Amino acid sequence: MERLLSAVAVMEKHVGGESVWGTIKIAVLPIAKVFTMCFLGFLMASKYVNILPANGRKLLNGLVFSLLLPCLIFSQLGQAVTLKKMLEWWFIPMNVLLGSISGSIIGFVVASVVRPPYPFFKFTIIHIGIGNIGNVPLVLIAALCRDTSNPFGDSDKCSTDGTAYISFGQWVGAIILYTYVFNMLAPPPEGTFDIEDGHLPIKGLPKDVAPEQVPLLAGAEEETDSNASVKGKIKRFAIFLYEKLKLKQILQPPIIASILAMVLGAIPFFKRLIFTSDAPLFFFTDSCIILGEAMIPCILLALGGNLVDGPGSSKLGLRTTAAIIFGRLVLVPPAGLGIVTLADKLGFLPADDKMFRFVLLLQHTMPTSILSGAVANLRGCGREAAAVLFWVHIFAIFSMAGWIVLYLNILF
């Protein structure tokens, strides 16, 4: 009992001197702000208002993804990162990787128990295992740090550190998304997810290999010219790697911005030239900061608008959809808490950095990644992905508030 009372006293001291109710308030208010802006986007995209039709949402998504989000990442990560900090932050990308592995294992167990309709077994695993490690955490951190009573101290430092930590892990998430997720969401042997009988057995591969399964170097065997130059061979090998690793999909604007920020921020000369407040080129960074501030309202309006078509017809069924929601929002976070706690016990995390630990925990707590819906669209199961994303984000409003309350109690 004495230990419990002392823990509560310590928590009250750190969280602005407020009670447990104050902690709940700090956790719930950012979620409420996010929900409000998403609802406005949903309202603007609804048929009753129709200010954000499908084409408008597509343009807004493109603007956020290609300009506003890269500007936010470049300015915040570049200002915060140094070579020493990059070495200290090594566990952030590792946490993303471990989160995907543990989430996928949980997804496999849930899918094995629930038995989703064919051919959505791998689809179920992915939508439980792959969380949103970028957009939603960035918005939550911004909303949390904006409150002067936040437990992490100075609002500017809170926001800069939180954004830098989140951005530092995004490049790993992109690689996972465009390699592992892309392959897992491949259409079944029938070539389409639109199969009438959901209980069909898994069929063998057809005799005719699909075009995307043809080896990329099939034509290389026809090359009989023994005098082919070394330069030509290197060129063909580079093209093979480029296609095989899907570098075009991986090197998206946010990832390029992250790489540039890490490289330029880690070199003292470039950091003094670009990122410090009295730097000759700070006007460029300041412009990126201004554009980056517009990312959060725009992305929330776009997210709310994108969910307007979500709860439509889906072949997953109520049982599978509920299992995905439960697996992603209830089963995955405790596994993440165990990973972060073990890493802390082993000394892998920077000492006395509460925001670092909070971001690691958030990475395991988020709803299913929005970008997985984009990949699902490419693979032909976009309708089912939209339905899952809609319901997962609706229930995440409540689950994230509960988990954040628990994390603040643990950290403080």
Side-chain angles (χ1 to χ4, degrees), residues 52-103:
L52 273 179
N55 289 337
R57 297 196 302 273
K58 185 177 180 180
L59 291 173
L60 187 57
N61 276 320
L63 178 67
V64 167
F65 186 73
S66 300
L67 178 64
L68 303 184
L69 180 57
C71 283
L72 178 71
I73 291 172
F74 180 80
S75 59
Q76 301 283 6
L77 181 58
Q79 289 182 93
V81 76
T82 62
L83 184 59
K84 181 182 177 182
K85 287 183 178 179
M86 287 174 63
L87 295 175
E88 291 177 350
W89 297 353
W90 68 271
F91 192 76
I92 294 177
M94 179 60 69
N95 188 59
V96 175
L97 180 62
L98 292 174
S100 298
I101 294 172
S102 63

Side-chain angles (χ1 to χ4, degrees), residues 64 68-69 72 135 138-139 291-300:
V64 167
L68 303 184
L69 180 57
L72 178 71
N135 303 341
L138 283 172
V139 172
L291 288 170
E293 289 175 348
M295 188 279 296
I296 291 169
C298 287
I299 203 170
L300 288 177

Side-chain angles (χ1 to χ4, degrees), residues 299-316:
I299 203 170
L300 288 177
L301 290 174
L303 174 60
N306 290 340
L307 297 177
V308 73
D309 299 322
S313 60
S314 169
K315 293 185 177 181
L316 291 176

Side-chain angles (χ1 to χ4, degrees), residues 326-350:
F326 183 78
R328 180 65 235 172
L329 301 180
V330 178
L331 299 182
V332 170
L337 180 58
I339 291 172
V340 176
T341 302
L342 179 61
D344 196 11
K345 297 280 188 186
L346 296 174
F348 293 160
L349 311 184

Side-chain angles (χ1 to χ4, degrees), residues 98-117:
L98 292 174
S100 298
I101 294 172
S102 63
S104 296
I105 292 172
I106 292 171
F108 177 80
V109 172
V110 172
S112 299
V113 172
V114 175
R115 297 185 178 275

